[in-house]
Amino acid sequence: MRRVGDVVGVAQGVAVVRAPDGDHADIGTPVVDEDLSDCGRVVDVFGPVARPYLAVSPGEGIHLPALVGSPLYAR
């Protein structure tokens, strides 16, 4: 597994994740939390090239505010 980044906030129904570097996950990549529970998929990449943000659309039954501050990983 590869670390996608940390959830820094929630906006317009998606989790906003800050990538640790410019080598970010691709759009469509499924993401999981530390317990390997499915959290959703990357739907957009935006912001600075050196350290972009990712928009993660939540999976079924995911409570987005509970993810703030948590790391997410690419499956």
Side-chain angles (χ1 to χ4, degrees):
M1 281 191 326
R2 185 181 79 173
R3 186 179 179 129
V4 172
D6 296 320
V7 179
V8 295
V10 175
Q12 298 179 353
V14 297
V16 178
V17 178
R18 184 70 189 252
D21 55 34
D23 185 26
H24 59 78
D26 294 326
I27 292 175
T29 301
V31 295
V32 297
D33 61 13
E34 291 179 314
D35 299 326
L36 300 180
S37 299
D38 289 327
C39 290
R41 290 187 178 274
V42 177
V43 293
D44 196 12
V45 178
F46 58 96
V49 174
R51 203 164 163 220
Y53 292 93
L54 309 173
V56 174
S57 178
E60 187 74 28
I62 298 298
H63 183 64
L64 288 177
L67 292 176
V68 174
S70 302
L72 294 181
Y73 301 88
R75 190 144 242 206

